[in-house]
Amino acid sequence: MYQVVPGGAGGTITDVIPKQKHSKDTQPLVGAGVIGLVLVIAAVTAWCYYIASLRKAELLKTQLLDLNKDGYIIRNQGGSIVFRMDFRSGTLDLDSCSKEGEMLSCERTTDRKLNFFIETVRPKDPVQCYRVRWEELVPDIPVEHAMTYKFAHWYGGAVSAIQHWPISISGQQAPKPFVTSDIYSNRNEFGGILESYWLSSNATAIKINNSVPFHLGWNDTEKTMSFQARYNDSPFKPIPGEAPCAELSYRICVGLDVTSIHKYMVRRYFNKPNKVPAKVMFRHPIWSTWALHKTDIDQEKVLTYAANIRKYKFNCSLLEIDDRYTNRYGEFEFDPTKFPNASAMFQKLKSNGFLVSLWIHPFVNYDSENFHTCVERGLFVREPTGRLPALVRWWNGIGGILDFTNPEARDWFSSQLRSLRSRYGVSSFKFDAGETNYLPWKFSTRTPIRDPSFFTRRYTEMAIPYNDRAELRSGYQSQNISCFFRPIDRDSVWGYELGLKSLIPTVLTISILGYQFILPDMIGGNAYLNRTDGNSVLPDRELYIRWLELSAFMPSMQFSIPPWEYDNEVVEIARKYTALHESIVAPRVLELAGEVLNTGDPIIRPLWWIATGDETAYKIDSQFLIGDDLMVAPVLEPGKQERDIYLPAGRWRSYKGERFDIKEPLHLTDYPVDLDEIAYFVWV
């Protein structure tokens, strides 16, 4: 029931209730009101914090990327996480972050100022890209981000002594300089052909900016690759006159499939060749004197070698006279004892239809007549003060290394090559070395270089006048040099460490890095006694044959150990496969080589190129494609005359005439392949 209080709405309750009694009775009500007010304020405050947190959460999202204080993740269009990067050099202070348009930026970590941003860019649907930059403002603080690689299979980076496809990471490695190195003598380093680019099977690619003092490490327990920028304890140098403040900047792009995202990255970020080398280099084998004669080469042996090439009815695109035709390293004249009449030798070779290439390198040994000249003219790389030439040790002794950032050194070196060409009719050169591990740890050059691998780039430029037939073994941002690039020397062994099994993973890696005119080193390997399978001075016969068959399906072939060193059967197999290379492989390769100038697409392709959603195809390292329509499956195991073959979905015809019209991938188990055969399939 209702109680009527006298005075109504306009009166006061004190008119009817004694004051003392009111104070005593209303104390609980007042307390409840205060508590209620506090609760209301708390609720409002909590609501405000909640709204603020939602706004902050929204602020730290941009398109398909989520940023937090310790790193960020990227999702694909389907919402799945495809990329994760953790910050190892600091924790972001999220209160210092702001968003403007597609740019997320932060001004502080928890203990210092910095410049950090992630910008979303939409270059082309369905590709989504992100520009990331972390710039330290305090000198000598490294920047390190750790990429989780467990979400997918990864490819690219650099050639290595033990080459796998996809990349296989084992152990832990603190970040070390990502620079070119001779992996034949330094087998734990990065190889002579390298680019700071990686690609994953989940259609994600990352390209580190060339300006970054980039160091790479890894941890197989954490499943991470460490991307680090630093100047401290590093051969990288800051811009002259500027503080050594490190910056790690890169671009990540995500697409629909691995092939399309790679096509996009190559077109946008890689140099392209500006011409195709001489067609004969694709059609006919190169013949080198190295593996057969090593440094024990002379005029008679060169002429006999050439005569046997003709005697056994082989074609030859180029005859390479390798180390050592000069008296000392750093000279550019034939040793008169070993080559008593070099001019007559060249005339005879020319009359027999041979074009000749000479082995060359960037070193001038201290006992060479040219050493004093180079010191006096300042043509060598120097020690850090720039006052004295730096002595370096290479595999053939001690001397200076020419400074190819110095126009005078470039001109002097070029004049020596031109002299050889004019005096003897030398067609081209095999440019050996060029890796930065032959530079001193601390050095100076005429034109300062911040990235040591830029020295490799400058060296490869020396091959440009001879690029129709030149051969290079190192490369960094050198895809437009338009020469044949040769992976480092192979040992005469079956395995993944510079052996036959390493050849396909190495060629696929080089192709992904944008180098398409590939010379896959000498058939059978170097035949070093301590690094050769078998008891003979020659490579194992079966190994030689399987190597020959595989090389026949590469862009170019190179013999050194000649097939007639074995027996007539090996000679016949060699004739068969040089003919097959000329009739079937070379026409396809030349057609694709013309397309490379515009697209940069690989000539030698992985199986996932045409099977982008196929998990099995991502892991196959013993088969490859030439273009989209020729699939090759060589035998790479000793004692085997069969192998398992993986056929992607499609319509295929085998080299035996069998037809496979399949809507799903097909495993051919123990497919028979005789010793004189290599399995290959053509898209019908």
Side-chain angles (χ1 to χ4, degrees):
M1 297 182 59
Y2 294 101
Q3 180 179 6
V4 178
V5 179
T12 64
I13 56 174
T14 56
D15 292 339
V16 295
I17 301 175
K19 186 174 182 180
Q20 187 177 1
K21 186 177 180 181
H22 162 78
S23 177
K24 182 178 180 180
D25 293 344
T26 59
Q27 279 182 351
L29 295 175
V30 173
V34 171
I35 293 173
L37 180 61
V38 170
L39 291 174
V40 169
I41 292 172
V44 170
T45 302
W47 178 256
C48 291
Y49 274 113
Y50 174 68
I51 294 299
S53 67
L54 288 179
R55 289 177 178 173
K56 177 61 70 174
E58 183 61 28
L59 168 68
L60 299 180
K61 293 178 181 290
T62 174
Q63 293 300 315
L64 299 170
L65 182 145
D66 296 348
L67 174 68
N68 62 62
K69 63 180 182 178
D70 297 316
Y72 59 90
I73 61 171
I74 297 175
R75 293 182 172 86
N76 60 17
Q77 297 290 343
S80 299
I81 296 175
V82 294
F83 189 86
R84 174 179 169 178
M85 188 76 86
D86 295 328
F87 303 144
R88 295 291 174 83
S89 48
T91 300
L92 290 179
D93 177 0
L94 298 183
D95 289 331
S96 74
C97 300
S98 60
K99 182 179 180 182
E100 183 176 346
E102 298 297 336
M103 177 85 75
L104 263 174
S105 59
C106 304
E107 298 179 352
R108 291 187 57 83
T109 66
T110 54
D111 61 357
R112 64 186 182 275
K113 291 185 177 181
L114 85 162
N115 290 329
F116 172 81
F117 73 76
I118 297 179
E119 181 184 14
T120 304
V121 291
R122 299 186 185 87
K124 181 181 179 182
D125 288 336
V127 175
Q128 182 81 59
C129 292
Y130 305 89
R131 292 176 56 223
V132 182
R133 176 178 161 185
W134 180 302
E135 179 187 4
E136 288 291 346
L137 303 180
V138 179
D140 294 325
I141 294 181
V143 183
E144 184 174 335
H145 294 179
M147 182 190 79
T148 300
Y149 61 78
K150 65 182 179 181
F151 295 118
H153 306 290
W154 285 86
Y155 315 91
V159 296
S160 58
I162 301 175
Q163 195 85 50
H164 291 286
W165 179 270
I167 294 171
S168 177
I169 294 176
S170 61
Q172 289 80 44
Q173 171 64 54
K176 60 182 180 179
F178 192 68
V179 295
T180 58
S181 183
D182 174 357
I183 53 173
Y184 197 84
S185 56
N186 302 277
R187 299 204 173 193
N188 293 321
E189 299 301 320
F190 305 113
I193 298 176
L194 129 167
E195 303 290 336
S196 53
Y197 168 73
W198 288 266
L199 173 74
S200 82
S201 58
N202 62 12
T204 306
I206 180 169
K207 176 68 177 71
I208 310 296
N209 288 351
N210 294 331
S211 60
V212 172
F214 183 54
H215 298 65
L216 179 66
W218 52 85
N219 187 315
D220 68 346
T221 302
E222 298 178 348
K223 306 299 182 186
T224 57
M225 294 172 62
S226 297
F227 299 155
Q228 187 188 77
R230 76 168 192 263
Y231 292 110
N232 189 34
D233 188 31
S234 169
F236 289 88
K237 301 175 183 178
I239 296 174
E242 293 192 4
C245 295
E247 172 195 311
L248 180 60
S249 54
Y250 50 89
R251 182 167 296 214
I252 301 164
C253 292
V254 181
L256 290 181
D257 61 70
V258 59
T259 301
S260 62
I261 195 64
H262 178 67
K263 284 173 174 278
Y264 170 80
M265 298 296 285
V266 168
R267 284 158 175 74
R268 190 170 181 88
Y269 298 114
F270 283 30
N271 293 322
K272 310 293 186 305
N274 52 36
K275 61 176 290 186
V276 177
K279 293 181 179 179
V280 68
M281 296 286 289
F282 295 92
R283 291 174 176 147
H284 297 157
I286 300 165
W287 296 77
S288 168
T289 63
W290 172 249
L292 181 62
H293 295 296
K294 305 296 191 296
T295 59
D296 188 24
I297 189 66
D298 58 35
Q299 184 167 326
E300 181 181 354
K301 289 175 181 175
V302 170
L303 291 174
T304 300
Y305 192 50
N308 280 331
I309 294 171
R310 294 295 183 233
K311 174 183 175 181
Y312 288 97
K313 297 181 174 56
F314 287 98
N315 288 318
C316 175
S317 62
L318 200 61
L319 177 63
E320 285 184 351
I321 301 177
D322 214 293
D323 182 15
R324 133 185 203 185
Y325 57 90
T326 61
N327 188 33
R328 293 181 177 87
Y329 295 107
E331 297 175 0
F332 296 86
E333 184 51 77
F334 281 83
D335 182 338
T337 302
K338 300 172 77 173
F339 295 86
N341 194 339
S343 295
M345 178 187 74
F346 274 91
Q347 289 173 4
K348 184 169 182 61
L349 291 172
K350 182 179 180 181
S351 66
N352 289 330
F354 288 98
L355 297 175
V356 180
S357 175
L358 296 179
W359 177 77
I360 206 74
H361 55 83
F363 307 103
V364 179
N365 276 11
Y366 70 90
D367 59 350
S368 164
E369 293 181 359
N370 287 323
F371 185 80
H372 180 74
T373 299
C374 293
V375 170
E376 288 295 311
R377 295 178 59 180
L379 305 185
F380 288 140
V381 171
R382 294 175 170 257
E383 45 79 42
T385 68
R387 291 192 292 267
L388 295 173
L391 289 180
V392 299
R393 180 181 293 276
W394 62 299
W395 68 89
N396 277 329
I398 298 173
I401 183 169
L402 291 167
D403 179 3
F404 293 103
T405 76
N406 181 350
E408 292 182 35
R410 295 165 68 89
D411 289 345
W412 181 83
F413 187 73
S414 295
S415 69
Q416 306 302 319
L417 304 189
R418 288 195 301 269
S419 176
L420 286 167
R421 184 168 61 177
S422 62
R423 289 185 63 185
Y424 301 111
V426 173
S427 178
S428 192
F429 298 92
K430 172 184 177 177
F431 291 83
D432 213 353
E435 299 90 352
T436 62
N437 69 290
Y438 290 111
L439 296 170
W441 178 254
K442 298 292 184 181
F443 64 92
S444 65
T445 51
R446 175 67 63 87
T447 302
I449 54 176
R450 300 175 60 195
D451 179 349
S453 292
F454 196 69
F455 179 86
T456 298
R457 164 69 197 190
R458 281 285 180 249
Y459 178 58
T460 59
E461 291 170 354
M462 303 308 299
I464 291 175
Y466 310 97
N467 57 14
D468 263 358
R469 294 176 175 83
E471 173 188 327
L472 286 159
R473 85 169 195 189
S474 58
Y476 176 68
Q477 302 176 36
S478 305
Q479 297 92 339
N480 63 334
I481 302 300
S482 303
C483 294
F484 279 92
F485 285 84
R486 173 181 65 87
I488 196 73
D489 305 40
R490 305 285 114 174
D491 289 328
S492 300
V493 298
W494 288 91
Y496 284 103
E497 183 174 348
L498 297 178
L500 179 59
K501 286 185 180 179
S502 73
L503 203 55
I504 294 174
T506 299
V507 170
L508 290 174
T509 298
I510 293 172
S511 296
I512 288 297
L513 298 180
Y515 297 88
Q516 309 309 340
F517 307 139
I518 299 171
L519 177 62
D521 202 48
M522 303 168 201
I523 293 168
N526 272 301
Y528 293 132
L529 284 176
N530 59 338
R531 289 175 175 166
T532 299
D533 285 343
N535 299 319
S536 170
V537 294
L538 295 175
D540 175 76
R541 182 179 184 273
E542 181 187 6
L543 172 69
Y544 183 88
I545 292 171
R546 293 306 191 189
W547 205 307
L548 164 63
E549 293 163 354
L550 171 55
S551 293
F553 285 86
M554 290 291 166
S556 57
M557 300 179 69
Q558 185 177 53
F559 284 100
S560 187
I561 300 292
W564 54 83
E565 289 290 315
Y566 292 92
D567 50 50
N568 288 335
E569 182 184 12
V570 175
V571 171
E572 288 303 317
I573 293 173
R575 287 184 185 138
K576 170 184 175 180
Y577 281 99
T578 53
L580 182 148
H581 177 85
E582 182 177 1
S583 62
I584 294 178
V585 178
R588 279 179 167 81
V589 168
L590 281 167
E591 181 181 356
L592 293 164
E595 298 173 5
V596 166
L597 307 186
N598 296 319
T599 67
D601 289 347
I603 293 174
I604 304 298
R605 300 173 181 176
L607 257 61
W608 53 248
W609 193 266
I610 61 170
T612 56
D614 189 334
E615 175 64 21
T616 301
Y618 294 141
K619 297 178 286 186
I620 289 180
D621 67 351
S622 63
Q623 299 175 220
F624 61 93
L625 296 163
I626 303 175
D628 288 345
D629 61 354
L630 178 56
M631 195 274 288
V632 187
V635 173
L636 305 175
E637 298 278 353
K640 298 288 187 180
Q641 296 199 29
E642 68 282 324
R643 64 155 293 165
D644 295 343
I645 294 174
Y646 188 73
L647 275 182
R651 301 176 64 190
W652 299 95
R653 184 181 69 247
S654 78
Y655 69 106
K656 299 177 180 179
E658 305 153 312
R659 289 183 175 269
F660 301 89
D661 190 353
I662 50 177
K663 295 182 180 180
E664 298 290 336
L666 178 64
H667 284 274
L668 301 176
T669 304
D670 291 334
Y671 187 83
V673 186
D674 291 342
L675 181 60
D676 65 342
E677 294 181 324
I678 182 172
Y680 64 94
F681 300 77
V682 178
W683 186 279
V684 181

